[in-house]
């Protein structure tokens, strides 16, 4: 059984450290309930560490911003929800990225887990977009922007709807021992 965020924890995390974690669900829908186990097993408010424990978790667009010295430990697996028509969009009608970090200076992303973008349905839409039947507004798997100091190590990324990693306006980057 897939696990999900505890909704109260999401609200507290959103208020205190800037995470706009839309949804993590144990079903292929975009609903969060107030029960089941928490995906974050750390005192992120005190340590600036977010740990995704072992296990598989569905995730929708997640936006983390304005946190310095953040350590994101991916021990479990994040699987993007593949219900395209329910995927959140931004102000420009583009699909929001699966996992975005914005202005998170000295960000560390480590672990032995993976992020699966469930790209197949998205790729089909991209082919249809080339024929003019639909638009191509696929999300990126991992986007990091406007940050200084990034270290990514050990994680695996696959089946991205668009780009596996997209870096914008970055300095001091070290990426090693990852699988794509």
């Amino acid at each position: 059984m897939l696990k999900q965020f505890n909704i109260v924890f999401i609200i507290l995390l959103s208020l205190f450290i800037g995470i706009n974690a839309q949804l993590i669900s144990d079903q292929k829908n975009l609903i969060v309930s107030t029960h089941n186990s928490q995906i974050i097993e750390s005192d992120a408010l005190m340590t600036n560490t977010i740990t995704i424990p072992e296990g598989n978790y569905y995730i929708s667009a997640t936006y983390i911003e304005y946190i310095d010295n953040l350590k994101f430990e991916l021990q479990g697996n994040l699987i993007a929800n593949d219900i395209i028509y329910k995927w959140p969009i931004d102000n420009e009608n583009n699909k929001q990225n699966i996992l975005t970090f914005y202005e998170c200076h000295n960000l560390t992303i480590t672990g032995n887990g993976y992020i699966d973008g469930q790209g197949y349905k998205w790729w089909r839409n991209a082919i249809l977009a080339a024929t003019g039947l639909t638009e191509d507004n696929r999300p990126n798997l991992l986007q990091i922007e406007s940050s200084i100091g990034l270290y990514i190590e050990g994680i695996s990324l696959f089946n991205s709807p668009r780009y596996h990693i997209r870096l914008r306006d970055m300095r001091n980057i070290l990426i090693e021992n990852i699988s794509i």
Side-chain angles (χ1 to χ4, degrees):
M1 176 162 170
L2 298 174
K3 299 173 185 167
Q4 63 193 7
F5 275 111
N6 181 308
I7 191 76
V8 175
F9 197 75
I10 288 176
I11 292 168
L12 288 174
L13 214 48
S14 298
L15 292 173
F16 291 107
I17 64 170
I19 292 181
N20 177 12
Q22 285 239 337
L23 308 170
I24 300 255
S25 176
D26 66 351
Q27 300 175 4
K28 290 206 169 196
N29 58 33
L30 301 180
I31 297 171
V32 175
S33 67
T34 57
H35 63 285
N36 289 343
S37 54
Q38 295 178 4
I39 196 171
I40 298 176
E41 286 186 345
S42 69
D43 189 359
L45 301 177
M46 301 300 287
T47 65
N48 281 3
T49 299
I50 297 172
T51 301
I52 307 301
E54 289 184 13
N56 295 320
Y57 305 90
Y58 279 108
I59 184 172
S60 184
T62 302
Y63 194 85
I64 301 171
E65 62 184 353
Y66 305 116
I67 306 171
D68 290 343
N69 305 308
L70 175 65
K71 184 171 185 181
F72 188 86
E73 296 178 346
L74 186 61
Q75 302 305 322
N77 307 312
L78 298 177
I79 303 166
N81 192 305
D82 65 354
I83 302 176
I84 294 173
Y85 70 92
K86 286 189 175 182
W87 196 264
I89 58 171
D90 63 18
N91 294 338
E92 298 172 2
N93 205 34
N94 293 314
K95 301 292 185 183
Q96 293 180 9
N97 297 308
I98 295 168
L99 182 57
T100 300
F101 293 91
Y102 180 78
E103 286 199 24
C104 294
H105 304 301
N106 299 314
L107 171 64
T108 301
I109 301 173
T110 63
N112 56 6
Y114 64 77
I115 305 173
D116 179 355
Q118 302 243 61
Y120 175 75
K121 287 184 180 181
W122 298 96
W123 303 330
R124 192 181 80 213
N125 270 11
I127 292 167
L128 292 174
T131 64
L133 295 175
T134 186
E135 59 185 335
D136 183 12
N137 61 354
R138 297 169 290 157
N140 297 308
L141 191 60
L142 175 61
Q143 179 154 319
I144 305 166
E145 47 184 310
S146 301
S147 301
I148 300 169
L150 169 65
Y151 178 65
I152 302 176
E153 187 267 329
I155 65 171
S156 297
L157 307 169
F158 57 94
N159 295 327
S160 178
R162 183 166 277 189
Y163 302 116
H164 286 82
I165 300 177
R166 184 168 186 226
L167 305 175
R168 296 179 58 198
D169 190 24
M170 300 289 299
R171 288 189 294 163
N172 301 333
I173 301 166
L174 177 59
I175 300 174
E176 59 185 0
N177 301 319
I178 68 168
S179 296
I180 295 179

